[in-house]
Amino acid sequence: MASRVYLSVLLHAFVSAALATFIHATIFSPLSPNYYEFSCPNALTAIQIIVEAAVQKEPRMGASLLRLHFHDCFVNGCDGSILLDSSPTIDSEKDALPNINSVRGFEVVDDIKKAVDEACGQPIVSCADILAVAARDSVVTLGGPTWEVQLGRRDSTTASKEAANANLPAPSFDLSELINNFNNHSLDVKDLVVLSGAHTIGFSFCKFFKDRVYNDTNINPIYAQQLRNICPIDGSGDFNLGPLDQTSPLLFNLQYFSDLFQYKGLLHSDQELFNGGCTDAMVERYSYDYIAFFQDFANSMIKMGNIQPLTGTQGEIRVNCRVVN
């Protein structure tokens, strides 16, 4: 009898906690995974089709689309501002130092926007939401986890190259700088490590890791020599590409963390995550635990996607992602 009472109390507590969590999410989150369920039920399928085709055509595009979402959210929130071209009234974030001649995938976003607007019959889906969904679909296409993307963001009518220069973490950052940068975006140390795991796909220009391969001491010497071969110190190869993940840069897996464990992080900021600091244990775990990394990555992507979204009557739904209406 006592055990029945205990189980009843435990069940009631669990149901109450779940209900409270649901109510809190419903009331306090302006975004919802079902935002387009009635206004455009085919929106997500339209995005998925274009993303899968683009990534299958050029697998590197998956990392590029994921990076667009990250670089969007870290500059005044997830508002599609990174997509705006320069104009007399727009100081484009595309021209910021971390982005210029580096961020890419804008033509794919154009294709997605066209397909989604055709599926919806009018511009209903924001460019900011397109970036969030395209990031998820890119990860899935390359073998990574899936998650429910929160939707309902609206698009900014402004951009800020200055804010992009100030807010995007630099490849030269040390661990404390990385932690502070992520904290400034309401992301914690776990989010830092998990989201850095996105570097399991993609490439980086030599100019972003040249200083590391010639000056850092916490780098595998054989690996450093390999990188020097594609990254001359005289700057002649500054736009040569090096893989962020040394063995499988086109597959979303655990290799990035295994590389750090062997002191083969491409960027200085990558290796800072495994360099005798507070994040070493997380890197070690994610180097072998697929379930933990995939679950945590999905959760942190949802969390990042919630950074300062424009909702309700804020901003607009752009007709063309590159220009303000």
Side-chain angles (χ1 to χ4, degrees):
M1 181 67 178
S3 62
R4 289 182 182 177
V5 172
Y6 174 75
L7 289 173
S8 177
V9 170
L10 188 63
L11 179 61
H12 176 75
F14 176 80
V15 171
S16 297
L19 182 60
T21 300
F22 173 78
I23 292 173
H24 183 275
T26 302
I27 293 176
F28 295 101
S29 174
L31 306 179
S32 164
N34 304 314
Y35 187 82
Y36 299 110
E37 183 175 2
F38 299 107
S39 61
C40 188
N42 296 321
L44 300 191
T45 300
I47 297 173
Q48 181 184 14
I49 290 171
I50 300 297
V51 170
E52 288 180 349
V55 175
Q56 287 168 5
K57 180 180 179 181
E58 183 197 358
R60 183 184 162 210
M61 185 56 66
S64 298
L65 292 173
L66 176 58
R67 187 170 180 238
L68 273 180
H69 181 45
F70 171 70
H71 280 222
D72 183 40
C73 290
F74 265 52
V75 183
N76 297 325
C78 309
D79 59 3
S81 59
I82 193 171
L83 301 175
L84 290 172
D85 288 339
S86 292
S87 76
T89 58
I90 297 294
D91 193 16
S92 179
E93 293 166 22
K94 296 177 183 181
D95 297 327
L97 291 176
N99 294 332
I100 191 167
N101 299 320
S102 177
V103 288
R104 58 197 294 273
F106 300 109
E107 294 78 11
V108 176
V109 174
D110 293 340
D111 291 342
I112 294 172
K113 178 64 172 168
K114 179 181 178 182
V116 170
D117 287 355
E118 288 177 356
C120 300
Q122 58 182 312
I124 290 176
V125 180
S126 69
C127 301
D129 275 350
I130 285 173
L131 289 181
V133 177
R136 188 272 310 274
D137 291 348
S138 294
V139 169
V140 172
T141 302
L142 293 174
T146 189
W147 60 91
E148 278 198 325
V149 178
Q150 301 294 304
L151 301 165
R153 301 167 190 82
R154 288 171 65 84
D155 297 321
S156 70
T157 56
T158 62
S160 176
K161 181 174 73 174
E162 181 181 2
N165 283 326
N167 287 290
L168 290 170
S172 60
F173 274 8
D174 62 25
L175 183 59
S176 63
E177 289 173 311
L178 290 168
I179 291 172
N180 288 336
N181 180 277
F182 273 63
N183 283 342
N184 288 339
H185 297 93
S186 300
L187 298 171
D188 58 27
V189 175
K190 184 177 182 180
D191 297 316
L192 163 63
V193 177
V194 170
L195 293 175
S196 295
H199 283 180
T200 190
I201 53 175
F203 298 78
S204 176
F205 284 136
C206 161
K207 65 178 182 176
F208 294 126
F209 60 82
K210 182 170 63 177
D211 188 64
R212 167 161 167 73
V213 301
Y214 286 101
N215 296 313
D216 281 6
T217 57
N218 60 344
I219 185 170
N220 180 292
I222 297 176
Y223 173 58
Q225 185 55 55
Q226 292 172 344
L227 291 176
R228 289 172 190 154
N229 292 336
I230 64 171
C231 195
I233 197 170
D234 63 6
S236 60
D238 277 2
F239 289 95
N240 291 342
L241 291 171
L244 289 159
D245 167 334
Q246 300 315 305
T247 59
S248 53
L250 301 176
L251 291 175
F252 196 98
N253 55 27
L254 306 181
Q255 189 60 46
Y256 168 78
F257 296 107
S258 297
D259 288 343
L260 298 186
F261 203 63
Q262 301 172 62
Y263 294 95
K264 294 182 179 180
L266 183 66
L267 305 177
H268 176 86
S269 56
D270 287 330
Q271 196 60 58
E272 281 292 293
L273 301 180
F274 189 82
N275 194 38
C278 64
T279 54
D280 282 14
M282 281 186 278
V283 169
E284 182 175 3
R285 183 186 181 189
Y286 292 141
S287 71
Y288 65 83
D289 194 334
Y290 262 100
I291 293 176
F293 174 50
F294 276 28
Q295 288 180 343
D296 292 345
F297 185 83
N299 291 334
S300 290
M301 285 297 294
I302 293 171
K303 188 174 177 182
M304 184 184 77
N306 282 329
I307 297 176
Q308 295 179 281
L310 300 176
T311 59
T313 59
Q314 297 173 314
E316 63 183 16
I317 304 299
R318 288 188 214 135
V319 175
N320 180 340
C321 289
R322 295 173 180 263
V323 297
V324 175
N325 293 345

